[in-house]
Amino acid sequence: MGEKVPDKSNEVKKKVKINFNSDKTEAYITITYQDNGEDFYKKNTQELISDDEIIRYLNEYGIKYGILQSAIDYIKNNREVNKVIIAKGQKPKPPIEDSLNILFDCDKKLDIDETKDKIDYRSINYITSVKENEILAEIIIGEDGVNGINVFSEIIPSRSKKAIEFKAGQGCKLIDNKFISTIAGRPNYNKKSVWVEPIYILNNDVNLSSGNINFPANVQVNGKVSDGMKINCGNSLFVKDGVFNSVIKANNTSKIEGNIVGSTIEVGGIDLFRQEKIDLLTDLRSRIKSILDNFEFLKKNNLIKENVSEKLMIRILVESKYKDIPKLCIKIISNSSRDYRNSEIISIIKSKLLGSSLSNINGIDDLKEIIEKIDNELLELNEEAKNTIDLTMEYGQESEIKAAGDIVITGKGLFTSHLYAKDNIKFTSKNAVCRGGHLKAGKGIFATIVGNESGVVTQLEVEKKGEIKVDIAYQNTIFIVGNRKHILDKASKNIHVYLDKDGSIVINKLLL
């Protein structure tokens, strides 16, 4: 009897196929089972493929790295095996480049609260700006890339991060990977640098489209400032085509070309505020000194009854001859609401010079102490208010204009406007006319033509050491030097007004 031939009628045929992804970091296995053309799944056959067989197939394909035991367990226990991940390598990790983390917002429109009954559309635009010594951005240090490995145990190279040299532009410094502003202005950046532009330029009108301008450095408007708009400029301002029914504030020397109509202009910022406070405190000191002088006069001439105390006499003088002291004190307190210091004189005013607090003044020594405190604060303020901040303009009409330096009018002049200059008010045109209003300067007023033939009232005022010079002035022009006043009764020319050594007002003039 011959050797028995094995029955292969039930032998299961396996077709194994392995695929890879593009970088060979994943291998997928597909297994198809057949037995003599019949559907294998109709037969309840036992285990189809073993661990060793799977490893043999993987070795044939050269797969050595990242073989997944969980996949092997799945394959040998499941009859449907279609693109199952059998091995998984590691993809290379790309480098993380150094980058900038920008800490300021780009220009944007402010959110509008639609629930409000009244929306200020003039304030909906926002200009990104920074002050000096602000952190604008920081450098985020990246990482070099990490190599990968495919299922054949082959290295997949990555790369190092790029070398980026970050630089601080104008108005910036780079310290400990932080960009810090060295000036106020408009911040900007690119991939490698951060800088601060010291000027904001608007090549258009300031109107509802542009919104109000609030910028801590220089502002240049190559148009006009339209009705109802506001500019708050932290440094110098230039306006090309005039200002109309608007509010302008600038902290440094500025120029406004064109007409200023129905507007409020303040040039000087903190210096203007200091000068206003100096004027108010000087006025208060003068009044208190006058009370002392009156008291000494009455005492010297035995005009004070023996039963009248110093306290009562001071109160009588204040309530009879110096009724405006409380109003002046209120102005000083209001002015000091913007003060950066703790003003000792404000405490004294509140405790001894306002309303019923006058009863806290016990005598002449208290008034002398108040004068001493005022002198101390004036000394400090005068030291701080040495800056000269000028405004150059062409024409003003029905406007309030102030400058902590000179106001120079280069055009046709002024009409019914109020001007205040810490130093001088100067008209430079031979045909400039100042008609109506009130001009006040600390040192001098130098005008061409003041008033008109119909006698419109125009006031020109300087401090007691100042002077007024006018080429031509008409009747009803009022000249004030210190506390002395003169009203011109006839049109005159070549006018020079000042105080002489004894404090009398001097009017040098020729009849027109």
Side-chain angles (χ1 to χ4, degrees):
M1 192 172 179
E3 185 178 348
K4 186 175 180 181
V5 178
D7 183 6
K8 295 184 180 182
S9 60
N10 288 330
E11 184 178 342
V12 177
K13 295 180 179 179
K14 307 178 188 69
K15 184 177 181 182
V16 177
K17 184 178 180 181
I18 295 179
N19 300 95
F20 305 92
N21 65 349
S22 59
D23 60 4
K24 305 297 190 295
T25 55
E26 291 182 356
Y28 311 95
I29 188 169
T30 299
I31 302 177
T32 305
Y33 297 97
Q34 292 181 336
D35 70 3
N36 295 329
E38 293 185 26
D39 186 349
F40 168 77
Y41 298 113
K42 293 181 179 178
K43 298 184 177 182
N44 188 15
T45 313
Q46 56 187 358
E47 182 179 338
L48 306 173
I49 193 167
S50 67
D51 291 21
D52 292 340
E53 286 180 287
I54 294 171
I55 295 299
R56 178 169 55 81
Y57 279 117
L58 294 176
N59 288 335
E60 288 177 1
Y61 277 88
I63 298 172
K64 303 175 182 178
Y65 181 84
I67 297 170
L68 302 175
Q69 185 60 46
S70 60
I72 293 174
D73 293 341
Y74 175 85
I75 291 166
K76 69 182 184 182
N77 291 307
N78 287 274
R79 295 184 177 92
E80 292 187 8
V81 179
N82 184 30
K83 290 186 176 181
V84 173
I85 295 179
I86 188 66
K88 190 170 186 177
Q90 294 180 12
K91 290 182 178 291
K93 183 179 178 182
I96 299 174
E97 305 294 351
D98 294 343
S99 62
L100 287 177
N101 179 29
I102 302 300
L103 302 177
F104 56 85
D105 291 330
C106 295
D107 290 352
K108 62 181 181 179
K109 289 194 173 184
L110 297 177
D111 295 332
I112 300 175
D113 187 352
E114 300 288 355
T115 62
K116 290 187 176 180
D117 294 334
K118 187 176 181 181
I119 298 173
D120 184 4
Y121 287 98
R122 297 177 180 86
S123 299
I124 62 175
N125 289 325
Y126 174 76
I127 302 168
T128 299
S129 62
V130 295
K131 298 178 181 178
E132 182 181 350
N133 226 24
E134 285 191 29
I135 299 175
L136 306 181
E138 59 183 350
I139 298 172
I140 305 300
I141 303 299
E143 299 174 356
D144 289 333
V146 178
N147 292 338
I149 184 169
N150 63 22
V151 296
F152 306 120
S153 288
E154 298 170 339
I155 298 298
I156 306 174
S158 184
R159 64 177 179 84
S160 300
K161 65 179 181 178
K162 295 177 182 178
I164 301 177
E165 184 181 0
F166 293 98
K167 293 183 178 180
Q170 69 168 339
C172 258
K173 59 185 176 182
L174 181 57
I175 299 176
D176 296 332
N177 289 330
K178 290 182 173 61
F179 289 90
I180 301 171
S181 59
T182 58
I183 62 172
R186 190 178 193 183
N188 212 332
Y189 71 99
N190 57 28
K191 290 182 179 179
K192 298 182 180 180
S193 182
V194 178
W195 65 93
V196 178
E197 298 165 359
I199 186 169
Y200 172 68
I201 300 175
L202 178 65
N203 291 313
N204 211 326
D205 296 342
V206 179
N207 52 29
L208 285 174
S209 296
S210 70
N212 294 328
I213 294 176
N214 188 358
F215 193 68
N218 303 304
V219 174
Q220 179 175 328
V221 178
N222 294 323
K224 66 177 181 292
V225 183
S226 303
D227 288 9
M229 304 306 296
K230 296 179 180 179
I231 295 179
N232 192 354
C233 170
N235 204 356
S236 295
L237 170 69
F238 170 78
V239 179
K240 184 179 180 182
D241 294 327
V243 178
F244 301 89
N245 301 305
S246 297
V247 176
I248 306 292
K249 293 183 179 181
N251 286 347
N252 215 330
T253 294
S254 299
K255 184 176 184 180
I256 300 175
E257 295 180 348
N259 298 333
I260 298 173
V261 179
S263 297
T264 299
I265 313 291
E266 292 185 6
V267 175
I270 189 67
D271 292 281
L272 186 59
F273 149 73
R274 285 172 181 151
Q275 190 58 46
E276 290 173 353
K277 188 168 186 180
I278 287 170
D279 293 343
L280 290 169
L281 288 176
T282 300
D283 199 1
L284 179 61
R285 185 193 190 284
S286 176
R287 282 165 167 73
I288 295 174
K289 180 64 168 58
S290 182
I291 293 173
L292 286 173
D293 291 343
N294 273 274
F295 184 87
E296 291 298 330
F297 174 82
L298 295 172
K299 185 177 180 181
K300 183 178 180 180
N301 291 278
N302 297 316
L303 297 175
I304 302 176
K305 295 180 180 179
E306 291 185 3
N307 61 342
V308 176
S309 65
E310 289 185 2
K311 180 175 183 176
L312 179 58
M313 196 64 221
I314 290 170
R315 181 159 189 165
I316 291 171
L317 284 171
V318 171
E319 292 177 350
S320 59
K321 295 188 65 176
Y322 301 94
K323 294 179 180 179
D324 57 347
I325 283 182
K327 290 182 180 179
L328 180 58
C329 289
I330 290 172
K331 286 182 181 179
I332 293 171
I333 292 171
S334 177
N335 173 277
S336 296
S337 63
R338 295 181 292 166
D339 201 348
Y340 62 91
R341 77 185 82 216
N342 293 320
S343 176
E344 188 177 1
I345 196 64
I346 297 302
S347 299
I348 292 174
I349 285 172
K350 290 179 178 179
S351 64
K352 294 188 176 181
L353 293 176
L354 275 180
S356 60
S357 64
L358 278 170
S359 60
N360 294 328
I361 296 178
N362 295 313
I364 295 302
D365 288 342
D366 284 353
L367 293 182
K368 290 179 179 178
E369 182 184 358
I370 293 173
I371 287 179
E372 182 183 348
K373 298 296 185 184
I374 292 175
D375 286 343
N376 291 339
E377 190 147 331
L378 283 174
L379 184 65
E380 189 175 346
L381 285 167
N382 278 306
E383 187 63 30
E384 294 172 346
K386 288 183 176 180
N387 292 334
T388 297
I389 299 171
D390 303 333
L391 169 66
T392 301
M393 55 178 285
E394 288 188 21
Y395 173 75
Q397 178 178 318
E398 296 177 345
S399 296
E400 298 275 346
I401 302 170
K402 299 178 180 179
D406 291 348
I407 297 178
V408 180
I409 300 102
T410 62
K412 57 187 177 180
L414 298 169
F415 177 72
T416 59
S417 292
H418 291 170
L419 271 65
Y420 169 82
K422 185 184 82 171
D423 295 330
N424 302 290
I425 297 174
K426 302 176 182 178
F427 294 77
T428 62
S429 172
K430 293 181 180 180
N431 299 316
V433 177
C434 176
R435 187 174 299 159
H438 183 188
L439 280 61
K440 182 177 180 180
K443 295 180 180 178
I445 297 175
F446 306 93
T448 309
I449 303 169
V450 178
N452 60 8
E453 294 178 351
S454 64
V456 61
V457 176
T458 307
Q459 291 189 72
L460 308 180
E461 180 180 358
V462 294
E463 300 296 333
K464 63 182 180 179
K465 292 183 180 180
E467 62 177 339
I468 302 170
K469 290 184 177 181
V470 181
D471 292 344
I472 297 173
Y474 291 92
Q475 63 273 21
N476 289 331
T477 298
I478 301 173
F479 299 101
I480 303 172
V481 183
N483 58 355
R484 304 294 184 181
K485 183 193 312 187
H486 176 82
I487 301 174
L488 197 64
D489 58 356
K490 291 182 181 180
S492 303
K493 63 181 179 179
N494 300 335
I495 302 164
H496 186 199
V497 186
Y498 58 95
L499 293 184
D500 64 11
K501 292 182 179 180
D502 65 2
S504 299
I505 191 166
V506 177
I507 313 289
N508 294 328
K509 66 181 186 297
L510 297 173
L511 293 179
L512 188 61

